[in-house]
Amino acid sequence: SQTIHQWPATLVQPVGSPLSLECTVEGTSNPNLYWYRQAAGRGLQLLFYSVGIGQISSEVPQNLSASRPQDRQFILSSKKLLLSDSGFYLCAWTRGSNQPQHFGDGTRLSIL
Amino acid sequence: GENVEQHPSTLSVQEGDSAVIKCTYSDSASNYFPWYKQELGKRPQLIIDIRSNVGEKKDQRIAVTLNKTAKHFSLHITETQPEDSAVYFCAASSGNTPLVFGKGTRLSVIA
């Protein structure tokens, strides 16, 4: 069966520090991968998605970036975090178009 | 692009009553409509989905209906229980684009 791993579960970072969140999927190949951010009590904001290695689509202009160095690995990064980057970051995957999308357990990021 | 509207934003029901959450979408090409349940502090979990070639789908106490002509779909939860309390999200996609989510409905089931 397929599983998705996301880490760390929680992270506290100072303003201006760098960020790296990692997500990996097991048990499938060539998944579509997604990064979402969710502010407290709010909806799901799509940040990036990828349909293949090295292919990244950005949905929202910001100081975040994403990379897909391997088929089942998706990384969310920032060179300098802002206070507004605080939130719950969720990675998700699907087999392809119109297939069920499954989320990782998320990373709760607090910026001080 | 696709736009998904979800109503109501909050819903309170008595235990044992039914709950209905409605969503409308704008892109007539959308053909996949999942529903997610998110408990406090947890990840969203897929609870049911429907494709445009089907008008209704049921799984125990949960059902989803789809009206392609009117471009709306609804989640029905019968015999609600306290553990049904959560935030529910609807979503839509046309296959070539990522899911577009509604803003969520906070359901409270009062014992």
Side-chain angles (χ1 to χ4, degrees):
Chain A
S1 64
Q2 299 81 27
T3 55
I4 179 169
H5 301 281
Q6 196 179 336
W7 66 91
T10 59
L11 190 60
V12 181
Q13 292 285 98
V15 169
S17 63
L19 173 73
S20 181
L21 302 180
E22 189 164 341
C23 171
T24 59
V25 179
E26 295 178 355
T28 189
S29 59
N30 198 32
N32 290 352
L33 297 171
Y34 308 84
W35 278 111
Y36 291 86
R37 178 170 60 200
Q38 187 175 35
R42 306 296 294 273
L44 298 161
Q45 179 187 31
L46 179 64
L47 302 175
F48 302 94
Y49 69 96
S50 172
V51 298
I53 296 175
Q55 300 178 56
I56 308 294
S57 296
S58 174
E59 292 293 300
V60 182
Q62 60 219 328
N63 69 321
L64 300 172
S65 62
S67 62
R68 186 170 177 174
Q70 300 180 43
D71 181 43
R72 291 170 289 174
Q73 183 184 32
F74 206 22
I75 298 172
L76 182 69
S77 304
S78 175
K79 293 181 179 178
K80 274 187 172 184
L81 286 168
L82 307 173
L83 281 174
S84 57
D85 291 324
S86 293
F88 190 41
Y89 287 81
L90 290 153
C91 182
W93 76 276
T94 67
R95 289 186 190 278
S97 302
N98 289 354
Q99 295 297 313
Q101 181 169 298
H102 302 284
F103 289 86
D105 286 333
T107 295
R108 195 161 303 280
L109 175 64
S110 299
I111 310 299
L112 303 179
Chain B
E2 176 66 277
N3 182 50
V4 176
E5 299 283 342
Q6 184 172 346
H7 300 280
S9 56
T10 60
L11 178 61
S12 291
V13 299
Q14 292 291 327
E15 183 178 359
D17 288 349
S18 295
V20 180
I21 302 170
K22 299 181 179 181
C23 289
T24 61
Y25 60 99
S26 60
D27 187 352
S28 57
S30 287
N31 53 13
Y32 178 63
F33 308 92
W35 285 88
Y36 287 83
K37 174 184 180 182
Q38 186 178 28
E39 297 177 356
L40 189 63
K42 301 288 184 64
R43 61 179 170 174
Q45 290 195 296
L46 179 69
I47 56 172
I48 195 167
D49 59 6
I50 192 168
R51 290 180 172 78
S52 59
N53 59 342
V54 175
E56 182 174 0
K57 185 176 178 180
K58 190 173 182 180
D59 182 3
Q60 299 182 6
R61 297 186 296 108
I62 294 173
V64 58
T65 58
L66 172 64
N67 183 326
K68 288 185 295 182
T69 302
K71 289 190 284 188
H72 67 70
F73 56 113
S74 301
L75 178 71
H76 304 253
I77 305 173
T78 59
E79 301 173 19
T80 54
Q81 301 167 3
E83 52 265 38
D84 294 328
S85 296
V87 178
Y88 291 82
F89 292 97
C90 64
S93 81
S94 64
N96 295 323
T97 56
L99 285 174
V100 177
F101 285 87
K103 293 186 177 181
T105 296
R106 184 174 301 278
L107 173 65
S108 299
V109 179
I110 303 165

mmCIF file of all heavy atoms in Angstrom, chain A residues 34 36 38 42-44 46 49 88 90 97-101 103-105 108, chain B residues 31-32 36 38 41-44 46 49 51 89 93-95 98-99 101 106:
data_model
loop_
_atom_site.group_PDB
_atom_site.id
_atom_site.type_symbol
_atom_site.label_atom_id
_atom_site.label_comp_id
_atom_site.label_asym_id
_atom_site.label_seq_id
_atom_site.Cartn_x
_atom_site.Cartn_y
_atom_site.Cartn_z
ATOM 1 N N TYR A 34 1.911 17.616 -4.096
ATOM 2 C CA TYR A 34 1.362 18.943 -3.796
ATOM 3 C C TYR A 34 1.859 19.436 -2.434
ATOM 4 O O TYR A 34 2.028 18.652 -1.499
ATOM 5 C CB TYR A 34 -0.170 18.890 -3.751
ATOM 6 C CG TYR A 34 -0.809 18.267 -4.966
ATOM 7 C CD1 TYR A 34 -0.952 16.885 -5.062
ATOM 8 C CD2 TYR A 34 -1.268 19.058 -6.019
ATOM 9 C CE1 TYR A 34 -1.529 16.303 -6.188
ATOM 10 C CE2 TYR A 34 -1.847 18.488 -7.139
ATOM 11 C CZ TYR A 34 -1.974 17.120 -7.215
ATOM 12 O OH TYR A 34 -2.549 16.547 -8.329
ATOM 13 N N TYR A 36 0.484 22.308 0.369
ATOM 14 C CA TYR A 36 -0.555 23.237 0.776
ATOM 15 C C TYR A 36 -0.129 23.928 2.072
ATOM 16 O O TYR A 36 0.637 23.391 2.864
ATOM 17 C CB TYR A 36 -1.868 22.495 1.078
ATOM 18 C CG TYR A 36 -2.554 21.892 -0.113
ATOM 19 C CD1 TYR A 36 -2.212 20.628 -0.575
ATOM 20 C CD2 TYR A 36 -3.582 22.570 -0.764
ATOM 21 C CE1 TYR A 36 -2.869 20.055 -1.670
ATOM 22 C CE2 TYR A 36 -4.247 22.008 -1.845
ATOM 23 C CZ TYR A 36 -3.873 20.753 -2.286
ATOM 24 O OH TYR A 36 -4.529 20.195 -3.361
ATOM 25 N N GLN A 38 -2.129 25.902 5.414
ATOM 26 C CA GLN A 38 -3.407 26.152 6.053
ATOM 27 C C GLN A 38 -3.177 27.043 7.266
ATOM 28 O O GLN A 38 -2.508 26.629 8.214
ATOM 29 C CB GLN A 38 -4.069 24.834 6.460
ATOM 30 C CG GLN A 38 -5.476 24.984 6.984
ATOM 31 C CD GLN A 38 -6.138 23.641 7.269
ATOM 32 O OE1 GLN A 38 -5.482 22.689 7.695
ATOM 33 N NE2 GLN A 38 -7.434 23.550 7.033
ATOM 34 N N ARG A 42 -8.550 28.153 8.895
ATOM 35 C CA ARG A 42 -8.828 28.566 7.516
ATOM 36 C C ARG A 42 -8.789 27.378 6.559
ATOM 37 O O ARG A 42 -8.616 26.230 6.964
ATOM 38 C CB ARG A 42 -7.802 29.618 7.084
ATOM 39 C CG ARG A 42 -7.695 30.817 7.995
ATOM 40 C CD ARG A 42 -8.973 31.623 8.033
ATOM 41 N NE ARG A 42 -9.285 32.244 6.767
ATOM 42 C CZ ARG A 42 -8.814 33.442 6.411
ATOM 43 N NH1 ARG A 42 -8.006 34.111 7.204
ATOM 44 N NH2 ARG A 42 -9.168 33.952 5.236
ATOM 45 N N GLY A 43 -8.925 27.686 5.261
ATOM 46 C CA GLY A 43 -8.953 26.654 4.241
ATOM 47 C C GLY A 43 -7.570 26.252 3.764
ATOM 48 O O GLY A 43 -6.553 26.629 4.335
ATOM 49 N N LEU A 44 -7.561 25.469 2.693
ATOM 50 C CA LEU A 44 -6.329 24.902 2.139
ATOM 51 C C LEU A 44 -5.856 25.751 0.959
ATOM 52 O O LEU A 44 -6.551 25.877 -0.034
ATOM 53 C CB LEU A 44 -6.593 23.467 1.678
ATOM 54 C CG LEU A 44 -7.013 22.516 2.789
ATOM 55 C CD1 LEU A 44 -7.690 21.282 2.216
ATOM 56 C CD2 LEU A 44 -5.796 22.100 3.608
ATOM 57 N N LEU A 46 -3.245 26.038 -1.993
ATOM 58 C CA LEU A 46 -2.262 25.311 -2.788
ATOM 59 C C LEU A 46 -1.061 26.208 -3.067
ATOM 60 O O LEU A 46 -1.214 27.317 -3.573
ATOM 61 C CB LEU A 46 -2.887 24.836 -4.103
ATOM 62 C CG LEU A 46 -1.961 24.073 -5.057
ATOM 63 C CD1 LEU A 46 -1.491 22.765 -4.414
ATOM 64 C CD2 LEU A 46 -2.659 23.801 -6.380
ATOM 65 N N TYR A 49 2.670 22.397 -7.046
ATOM 66 C CA TYR A 49 2.399 21.017 -7.398
ATOM 67 C C TYR A 49 3.388 20.575 -8.466
ATOM 68 O O TYR A 49 3.964 21.401 -9.189
ATOM 69 C CB TYR A 49 0.949 20.781 -7.806
ATOM 70 C CG TYR A 49 0.515 21.393 -9.115
ATOM 71 C CD1 TYR A 49 0.503 20.654 -10.291
ATOM 72 C CD2 TYR A 49 0.050 22.705 -9.152
ATOM 73 C CE1 TYR A 49 0.062 21.209 -11.477
ATOM 74 C CE2 TYR A 49 -0.389 23.269 -10.337
ATOM 75 C CZ TYR A 49 -0.391 22.520 -11.500
ATOM 76 O OH TYR A 49 -0.819 23.075 -12.676
ATOM 77 N N PHE A 88 0.134 25.615 8.969
ATOM 78 C CA PHE A 88 0.153 24.151 8.926
ATOM 79 C C PHE A 88 0.428 23.773 7.476
ATOM 80 O O PHE A 88 -0.370 24.075 6.587
ATOM 81 C CB PHE A 88 -1.203 23.641 9.412
ATOM 82 C CG PHE A 88 -1.290 22.168 9.652
ATOM 83 C CD1 PHE A 88 -0.253 21.469 10.259
ATOM 84 C CD2 PHE A 88 -2.431 21.458 9.305
ATOM 85 C CE1 PHE A 88 -0.340 20.105 10.503
ATOM 86 C CE2 PHE A 88 -2.533 20.083 9.556
ATOM 87 C CZ PHE A 88 -1.489 19.413 10.151
ATOM 88 N N LEU A 90 0.963 21.075 4.536
ATOM 89 C CA LEU A 90 0.528 19.720 4.206
ATOM 90 C C LEU A 90 1.044 19.313 2.836
ATOM 91 O O LEU A 90 0.923 20.061 1.864
ATOM 92 C CB LEU A 90 -0.999 19.650 4.202
ATOM 93 C CG LEU A 90 -1.678 19.775 5.559
ATOM 94 C CD1 LEU A 90 -3.077 20.339 5.410
ATOM 95 C CD2 LEU A 90 -1.730 18.412 6.244
ATOM 96 N N SER A 97 -4.624 12.301 -12.658
ATOM 97 C CA SER A 97 -5.828 13.118 -12.790
ATOM 98 C C SER A 97 -7.048 12.389 -12.257
ATOM 99 O O SER A 97 -7.230 11.202 -12.492
ATOM 100 C CB SER A 97 -6.058 13.463 -14.265
ATOM 101 O OG SER A 97 -4.946 14.138 -14.790
ATOM 102 N N ASN A 98 -7.877 13.148 -11.542
ATOM 103 C CA ASN A 98 -9.149 12.635 -11.030
ATOM 104 C C ASN A 98 -9.002 11.370 -10.200
ATOM 105 O O ASN A 98 -9.875 10.495 -10.213
ATOM 106 C CB ASN A 98 -10.121 12.384 -12.183
ATOM 107 C CG ASN A 98 -10.621 13.680 -12.779
ATOM 108 O OD1 ASN A 98 -10.330 14.757 -12.271
ATOM 109 N ND2 ASN A 98 -11.361 13.591 -13.860
ATOM 110 N N GLN A 99 -7.924 11.300 -9.462
ATOM 111 C CA GLN A 99 -7.712 10.200 -8.536
ATOM 112 C C GLN A 99 -7.740 10.731 -7.106
ATOM 113 O O GLN A 99 -7.442 11.913 -6.877
ATOM 114 C CB GLN A 99 -6.373 9.526 -8.804
ATOM 115 C CG GLN A 99 -6.300 8.843 -10.152
ATOM 116 C CD GLN A 99 -7.296 7.716 -10.272
ATOM 117 O OE1 GLN A 99 -7.422 6.884 -9.379
ATOM 118 N NE2 GLN A 99 -8.045 7.692 -11.363
ATOM 119 N N PRO A 100 -8.083 9.889 -6.145
ATOM 120 C CA PRO A 100 -8.100 10.355 -4.744
ATOM 121 C C PRO A 100 -6.762 10.966 -4.338
ATOM 122 O O PRO A 100 -5.697 10.451 -4.678
ATOM 123 C CB PRO A 100 -8.393 9.072 -3.974
ATOM 124 C CG PRO A 100 -9.173 8.237 -4.928
ATOM 125 C CD PRO A 100 -8.572 8.523 -6.277
ATOM 126 N N GLN A 101 -6.859 12.063 -3.618
ATOM 127 C CA GLN A 101 -5.676 12.757 -3.137
ATOM 128 C C GLN A 101 -5.530 12.485 -1.644
ATOM 129 O O GLN A 101 -6.493 12.599 -0.900
ATOM 130 C CB GLN A 101 -5.818 14.256 -3.392
ATOM 131 C CG GLN A 101 -4.637 15.087 -2.962
ATOM 132 C CD GLN A 101 -4.734 16.510 -3.484
ATOM 133 O OE1 GLN A 101 -4.739 16.743 -4.683
ATOM 134 N NE2 GLN A 101 -4.813 17.462 -2.578
ATOM 135 N N PHE A 103 -3.313 13.128 1.988
ATOM 136 C CA PHE A 103 -2.461 14.089 2.662
ATOM 137 C C PHE A 103 -1.526 13.420 3.661
ATOM 138 O O PHE A 103 -1.859 12.401 4.276
ATOM 139 C CB PHE A 103 -3.318 15.112 3.419
ATOM 140 C CG PHE A 103 -4.049 16.082 2.532
ATOM 141 C CD1 PHE A 103 -5.290 15.758 1.996
ATOM 142 C CD2 PHE A 103 -3.500 17.323 2.235
ATOM 143 C CE1 PHE A 103 -5.971 16.654 1.182
ATOM 144 C CE2 PHE A 103 -4.176 18.225 1.426
ATOM 145 C CZ PHE A 103 -5.406 17.889 0.891
ATOM 146 N N GLY A 104 -0.357 14.048 3.851
ATOM 147 C CA GLY A 104 0.531 13.671 4.935
ATOM 148 C C GLY A 104 0.019 14.251 6.243
ATOM 149 O O GLY A 104 -0.997 14.966 6.271
ATOM 150 N N ASP A 105 0.733 13.946 7.331
ATOM 151 C CA ASP A 105 0.283 14.390 8.655
ATOM 152 C C ASP A 105 0.536 15.865 8.918
ATOM 153 O O ASP A 105 0.046 16.411 9.898
ATOM 154 C CB ASP A 105 0.962 13.553 9.735
ATOM 155 C CG ASP A 105 0.399 12.144 9.824
ATOM 156 O OD1 ASP A 105 -0.780 11.962 9.472
ATOM 157 O OD2 ASP A 105 1.145 11.233 10.226
ATOM 158 N N ARG A 108 3.534 21.657 11.521
ATOM 159 C CA ARG A 108 3.059 22.912 12.104
ATOM 160 C C ARG A 108 4.260 23.822 12.290
ATOM 161 O O ARG A 108 5.143 23.540 13.100
ATOM 162 C CB ARG A 108 2.353 22.642 13.428
ATOM 163 C CG ARG A 108 1.528 23.816 13.911
ATOM 164 C CD ARG A 108 0.498 23.388 14.950
ATOM 165 N NE ARG A 108 -0.408 22.346 14.489
ATOM 166 C CZ ARG A 108 -1.455 22.553 13.718
ATOM 167 N NH1 ARG A 108 -1.739 23.776 13.299
ATOM 168 N NH2 ARG A 108 -2.224 21.551 13.362
ATOM 169 N N ASN B 31 -15.075 17.152 -13.328
ATOM 170 C CA ASN B 31 -15.692 15.832 -13.365
ATOM 171 C C ASN B 31 -15.312 14.943 -12.194
ATOM 172 O O ASN B 31 -15.607 13.747 -12.183
ATOM 173 C CB ASN B 31 -15.342 15.133 -14.691
ATOM 174 C CG ASN B 31 -13.842 15.101 -14.943
ATOM 175 O OD1 ASN B 31 -13.056 15.380 -14.051
ATOM 176 N ND2 ASN B 31 -13.466 14.747 -16.155
ATOM 177 N N TYR B 32 -14.640 15.499 -11.181
ATOM 178 C CA TYR B 32 -14.271 14.726 -10.000
ATOM 179 C C TYR B 32 -14.506 15.584 -8.768
ATOM 180 O O TYR B 32 -14.030 16.728 -8.691
ATOM 181 C CB TYR B 32 -12.810 14.290 -10.092
ATOM 182 C CG TYR B 32 -12.322 13.524 -8.870
ATOM 183 C CD1 TYR B 32 -12.893 12.294 -8.532
ATOM 184 C CD2 TYR B 32 -11.321 14.024 -8.067
ATOM 185 C CE1 TYR B 32 -12.465 11.600 -7.416
ATOM 186 C CE2 TYR B 32 -10.886 13.338 -6.950
ATOM 187 C CZ TYR B 32 -11.465 12.131 -6.633
ATOM 188 O OH TYR B 32 -11.041 11.441 -5.524
ATOM 189 N N TYR B 36 -13.586 15.898 2.041
ATOM 190 C CA TYR B 36 -12.593 15.608 3.058
ATOM 191 C C TYR B 36 -13.113 16.016 4.423
ATOM 192 O O TYR B 36 -13.829 17.011 4.570
ATOM 193 C CB TYR B 36 -11.286 16.366 2.774
ATOM 194 C CG TYR B 36 -10.512 15.804 1.610
ATOM 195 C CD1 TYR B 36 -10.830 16.165 0.302
ATOM 196 C CD2 TYR B 36 -9.469 14.910 1.813
ATOM 197 C CE1 TYR B 36 -10.129 15.638 -0.768
ATOM 198 C CE2 TYR B 36 -8.766 14.378 0.746
ATOM 199 C CZ TYR B 36 -9.106 14.744 -0.539
ATOM 200 O OH TYR B 36 -8.416 14.213 -1.594
ATOM 201 N N GLN B 38 -11.646 16.981 8.249
ATOM 202 C CA GLN B 38 -10.436 17.349 8.968
ATOM 203 C C GLN B 38 -10.768 17.583 10.440
ATOM 204 O O GLN B 38 -11.457 18.547 10.788
ATOM 205 C CB GLN B 38 -9.773 18.595 8.376
ATOM 206 C CG GLN B 38 -8.430 18.907 9.012
ATOM 207 C CD GLN B 38 -7.744 20.118 8.403
ATOM 208 O OE1 GLN B 38 -8.384 21.026 7.889
ATOM 209 N NE2 GLN B 38 -6.420 20.136 8.446
ATOM 210 N N GLY B 41 -6.393 19.764 14.305
ATOM 211 C CA GLY B 41 -4.970 19.462 14.377
ATOM 212 C C GLY B 41 -4.504 18.300 13.522
ATOM 213 O O GLY B 41 -3.338 17.929 13.569
ATOM 214 N N LYS B 42 -5.439 17.715 12.754
ATOM 215 C CA LYS B 42 -5.088 16.546 11.954
ATOM 216 C C LYS B 42 -5.098 16.886 10.455
ATOM 217 O O LYS B 42 -5.472 17.971 10.047
ATOM 218 C CB LYS B 42 -6.095 15.420 12.221
ATOM 219 C CG LYS B 42 -6.176 14.989 13.677
ATOM 220 C CD LYS B 42 -4.958 14.220 14.107
ATOM 221 C CE LYS B 42 -5.057 13.699 15.525
ATOM 222 N NZ LYS B 42 -6.150 12.718 15.691
ATOM 223 N N ARG B 43 -4.675 15.914 9.667
ATOM 224 C CA ARG B 43 -4.700 16.096 8.215
ATOM 225 C C ARG B 43 -6.105 15.884 7.672
ATOM 226 O O ARG B 43 -6.914 15.155 8.263
ATOM 227 C CB ARG B 43 -3.770 15.066 7.553
ATOM 228 C CG ARG B 43 -4.183 13.638 7.823
ATOM 229 C CD ARG B 43 -3.265 12.658 7.151
ATOM 230 N NE ARG B 43 -3.505 11.302 7.581
ATOM 231 C CZ ARG B 43 -2.901 10.250 7.061
ATOM 232 N NH1 ARG B 43 -2.015 10.392 6.106
ATOM 233 N NH2 ARG B 43 -3.177 9.036 7.497
ATOM 234 N N PRO B 44 -6.432 16.491 6.540
ATOM 235 C CA PRO B 44 -7.710 16.188 5.889
ATOM 236 C C PRO B 44 -7.701 14.736 5.406
ATOM 237 O O PRO B 44 -6.693 14.258 4.871
ATOM 238 C CB PRO B 44 -7.742 17.146 4.702
ATOM 239 C CG PRO B 44 -6.756 18.214 5.032
ATOM 240 C CD PRO B 44 -5.690 17.536 5.826
ATOM 241 N N LEU B 46 -9.888 11.858 3.094
ATOM 242 C CA LEU B 46 -10.929 11.629 2.102
ATOM 243 C C LEU B 46 -12.011 10.728 2.696
ATOM 244 O O LEU B 46 -11.717 9.659 3.228
ATOM 245 C CB LEU B 46 -10.323 10.965 0.873
ATOM 246 C CG LEU B 46 -11.271 10.625 -0.272
ATOM 247 C CD1 LEU B 46 -11.780 11.894 -0.941
ATOM 248 C CD2 LEU B 46 -10.580 9.725 -1.291
ATOM 249 N N ASP B 49 -16.004 10.280 -2.543
ATOM 250 C CA ASP B 49 -15.842 11.057 -3.766
ATOM 251 C C ASP B 49 -16.840 10.581 -4.807
ATOM 252 O O ASP B 49 -17.409 9.490 -4.703
ATOM 253 C CB ASP B 49 -14.403 10.999 -4.294
ATOM 254 C CG ASP B 49 -13.942 9.574 -4.590
ATOM 255 O OD1 ASP B 49 -14.751 8.624 -4.496
ATOM 256 O OD2 ASP B 49 -12.749 9.394 -4.890
ATOM 257 N N ARG B 51 -17.751 10.887 -9.234
ATOM 258 C CA ARG B 51 -17.355 11.331 -10.561
ATOM 259 C C ARG B 51 -18.596 11.720 -11.348
ATOM 260 O O ARG B 51 -19.713 11.309 -11.024
ATOM 261 C CB ARG B 51 -16.544 10.248 -11.258
ATOM 262 C CG ARG B 51 -15.165 10.087 -10.620
ATOM 263 C CD ARG B 51 -14.307 9.024 -11.282
ATOM 264 N NE ARG B 51 -12.943 9.051 -10.763
ATOM 265 C CZ ARG B 51 -12.560 8.543 -9.610
ATOM 266 N NH1 ARG B 51 -13.433 7.957 -8.836
ATOM 267 N NH2 ARG B 51 -11.289 8.614 -9.224
ATOM 268 N N PHE B 89 -14.445 19.691 3.878
ATOM 269 C CA PHE B 89 -14.087 20.440 2.674
ATOM 270 C C PHE B 89 -14.593 19.695 1.446
ATOM 271 O O PHE B 89 -14.391 18.493 1.316
ATOM 272 C CB PHE B 89 -12.569 20.587 2.544
ATOM 273 C CG PHE B 89 -11.926 21.455 3.576
ATOM 274 C CD1 PHE B 89 -11.344 20.910 4.703
ATOM 275 C CD2 PHE B 89 -11.871 22.833 3.405
ATOM 276 C CE1 PHE B 89 -10.733 21.713 5.661
ATOM 277 C CE2 PHE B 89 -11.267 23.643 4.352
ATOM 278 C CZ PHE B 89 -10.700 23.086 5.485
ATOM 279 N N SER B 93 -12.330 19.109 -9.570
ATOM 280 C CA SER B 93 -11.260 19.232 -10.566
ATOM 281 C C SER B 93 -11.743 18.716 -11.906
ATOM 282 O O SER B 93 -12.663 17.902 -11.988
ATOM 283 C CB SER B 93 -10.007 18.480 -10.129
ATOM 284 O OG SER B 93 -10.109 17.112 -10.408
ATOM 285 N N SER B 94 -11.073 19.173 -12.951
ATOM 286 C CA SER B 94 -11.399 18.731 -14.308
ATOM 287 C C SER B 94 -10.420 17.699 -14.800
ATOM 288 O O SER B 94 -10.499 17.269 -15.945
ATOM 289 C CB SER B 94 -11.396 19.929 -15.259
ATOM 290 O OG SER B 94 -10.091 20.479 -15.330
ATOM 291 N N GLY B 95 -9.488 17.311 -13.977
ATOM 292 C CA GLY B 95 -8.538 16.277 -14.364
ATOM 293 C C GLY B 95 -7.193 16.827 -14.766
ATOM 294 O O GLY B 95 -6.168 16.275 -14.430
ATOM 295 N N PRO B 98 -5.101 20.888 -10.630
ATOM 296 C CA PRO B 98 -5.226 20.417 -9.240
ATOM 297 C C PRO B 98 -6.627 20.645 -8.684
ATOM 298 O O PRO B 98 -7.397 21.460 -9.200
ATOM 299 C CB PRO B 98 -4.202 21.281 -8.489
ATOM 300 C CG PRO B 98 -3.253 21.751 -9.517
ATOM 301 C CD PRO B 98 -4.060 21.908 -10.765
ATOM 302 N N LEU B 99 -6.937 19.940 -7.627
ATOM 303 C CA LEU B 99 -8.208 20.135 -6.935
ATOM 304 C C LEU B 99 -8.351 21.591 -6.483
ATOM 305 O O LEU B 99 -7.393 22.201 -6.016
ATOM 306 C CB LEU B 99 -8.281 19.245 -5.695
ATOM 307 C CG LEU B 99 -8.521 17.755 -5.888
ATOM 308 C CD1 LEU B 99 -8.411 17.039 -4.544
ATOM 309 C CD2 LEU B 99 -9.880 17.496 -6.501
ATOM 310 N N PHE B 101 -10.450 23.616 -3.707
ATOM 311 C CA PHE B 101 -11.202 23.330 -2.484
ATOM 312 C C PHE B 101 -12.159 24.461 -2.133
ATOM 313 O O PHE B 101 -11.876 25.641 -2.390
ATOM 314 C CB PHE B 101 -10.235 23.135 -1.307
ATOM 315 C CG PHE B 101 -9.524 21.816 -1.315
ATOM 316 C CD1 PHE B 101 -8.343 21.649 -2.016
ATOM 317 C CD2 PHE B 101 -10.034 20.725 -0.616
ATOM 318 C CE1 PHE B 101 -7.677 20.431 -2.034
ATOM 319 C CE2 PHE B 101 -9.374 19.504 -0.619
ATOM 320 C CZ PHE B 101 -8.199 19.357 -1.329
ATOM 321 N N ARG B 106 -17.566 24.023 9.299
ATOM 322 C CA ARG B 106 -17.310 23.483 10.637
ATOM 323 C C ARG B 106 -18.600 22.893 11.169
ATOM 324 O O ARG B 106 -19.561 23.623 11.458
ATOM 325 C CB ARG B 106 -16.797 24.581 11.566
ATOM 326 C CG ARG B 106 -16.414 24.070 12.961
ATOM 327 C CD ARG B 106 -15.772 25.172 13.802
ATOM 328 N NE ARG B 106 -14.565 25.679 13.156
ATOM 329 C CZ ARG B 106 -13.379 25.099 13.237
ATOM 330 N NH1 ARG B 106 -13.227 23.982 13.937
ATOM 331 N NH2 ARG B 106 -12.331 25.637 12.632
#
